[in-house]
Amino acid sequence: MTYALAFQDLTLGYDRNPAVHRLCGEIAEGSLTAIVGPNGAGKSTMLKGVNGSLRPLTGRIAFGGLTRGEIAYLPQQSDIDRSFPVAVADLVAMGLWQEIGGFAGLRATHRARVAEAISAVGLEGFERRPIGSLSGGQIQRALFARLLLQDARLVLLDEPFTAVDAKTVADLISVVRRWHGEGRTVLAVLHDIDTVRAHFPRTLMLARELVAHGPTAQVLTAENQFRARQMCEACAGPPHVCGRSAE
Amino acid sequence: MMWELLIHPFADFGFMRRALMGCIAISVGATPVGVFLMLRRMSLTGDAMAHAILPGAAVGYLVAGLSLGAMTVGGLIAGMAVALLAGFVTRVTALREDASLAAFYLISLAVGVLIVSTRGSNVDLMHVLFGTVLALDDAALVLLCSIASVSIFTLAVVFRPLVLECADPQFLRSVSGFSAVTHFTFLSLVVLNLVAGFHALGTLMAVGIMILPAAAARFWAVGIGALIAVAVSIAMISSVSGLVLSYHAGLPSGPAIILVAGVAYALSVVFGPAGGLVARARLRHHLEAWSGTP
């Protein structure tokens, strides 16, 4: 089994404080993995590390042949300026950036794909609306449409279903399952354990350090969840320099 | 009557035609940049940058007198230095852009005032601060038109990255390395247009033709293309009206142009269909009518 990415003794953090500590493990190519853990467990930080916007303090992330352009990332709180006058179709079309770059025009085939992506997330009829007129759930649908067009081999989702109603969650999960069916690797930070159990075959539980990683049923045990909470509470104490040797 | 009022000043006097030409060039070049400044909530950045170019223009003046080239180059260097230093501090430290920009422009402004007051006379300072739109020579006109052309062309080239940098910077950073380039290209356009503007309107008034039409346009248009079209139109109408007003009433031209733009802004605030006061009042009326029905 080839891996899409491998964490090799990875420590990520801000200043000198680690948010992810000494993480090891592999994410298999084509796997659908949920990342769970208490608040402050380093889940978002881990995705930032994978997407390259945060450089490791120590260790590294190895990519199994993936280039940066093949990774799509949906941040937790997208800093989209929703008052900016951009139409939904134009926002979605930016998912084609890898193909059209900053300057090339949109061909008819591109427009057709934009329309297809918009209908795949159930936003038909909203194409020309400014993004400021959309609700939170509709914005999330539009961002998923943009992800669809990015055609990425690795998709990173940071709490994609937070503050979104049940119908929207169901629709967006079907998009995630479509990616999974197409053999893409998906890593999603999630809080809703029921969603994880129902739709995500694999789970990685994080509490700054790795708690467990494997088939969802084996990871989401009461014992692991209790341990994760305890580890995070222990992290809240005063910081100290990590004493473990570098290699 | 209309001839006397509108055409006569320009038909009879070459300096009025030149002033008109210069102001239209600035309207075309600077106003679209102003629209982006407004949309990025950087309207006050234009003001900060206008102050930042002062020491460069002053040094240029001290070295070569009232020389177009020296003051232009000086202004560009000072403006770009402040933009780059502020951008650098923002990107590598914890300080936010507004604070770092404020710090550098205040330093720059102090240096500028120091240079002008120790070596120049008050008349020179008045020239740099308030411009001389009625005394534009051929070289100045060529400069203004060139800057307007370069500005429009550059904006067309970087349009998509720039819109994305404004609307969703995080996404732009995740798909390309254009983010920083786009940001600095845009700031260069701001500096370039302010330098063009200060020859005609002065460093302080130059910001007015950049921001006021853009702010007014927000009340008339929603899409970004329409915003730019409306803003440029308002800027041009303000230029013509301001020049005519200054001619007939014997007022200084720069402030007259900006004040007409200010009137256009005030009218837009009240009557603009896209969120103006009257439109809002009507909207409220509708809502109350709805809430009464069971």
Side-chain angles (χ1 to χ4, degrees), chain A residues 92-101 106 109-111 113-114 146 149-150, chain B residues 171:
Chain A
V92 172
M94 288 304 101
L96 294 166
W97 185 282
Q98 297 298 341
E99 293 169 52
I100 59 174
L106 285 172
T109 51
H110 290 138
R111 290 184 196 286
R113 282 167 60 200
V114 171
R146 187 172 73 182
L149 289 178
Q150 280 185 268
Chain B
F171 179 74

Side-chain angles (χ1 to χ4, degrees), chain B residues 197-213:
Chain B
F198 91 66
H199 286 300
L201 301 166
T203 50
L204 299 183
M205 297 289 161
V207 194
I209 204 74
M210 196 176 255
I211 299 297
L212 276 172

Side-chain angles (χ1 to χ4, degrees), chain A residues 79 81 83 85 101 103-104 146, chain B residues 41 157 160 166-168 170 222:
Chain A
D79 55 1
D81 178 359
S83 69
F103 315 108
R146 187 172 73 182
Chain B
R41 294 162 211 197
V157 170
R160 183 181 294 157
C166 303
D168 193 355
Q170 208 167 16
V222 176

Side-chain angles (χ1 to χ4, degrees), chain B residues 200-258:
Chain B
L201 301 166
T203 50
L204 299 183
M205 297 289 161
V207 194
I209 204 74
M210 196 176 255
I211 299 297
L212 276 172
R218 196 72 162 113
F219 293 100
W220 300 96
V222 176
I224 190 157
L227 274 174
I228 290 175
V230 172
V232 170
S233 307
I234 292 177
M236 285 184 178
I237 293 168
S238 305
S239 298
V240 177
S241 321
L243 283 172
V244 168
L245 181 71
S246 78
Y247 175 85
H248 290 294
L251 300 169
S253 324
I257 292 168
I258 304 304

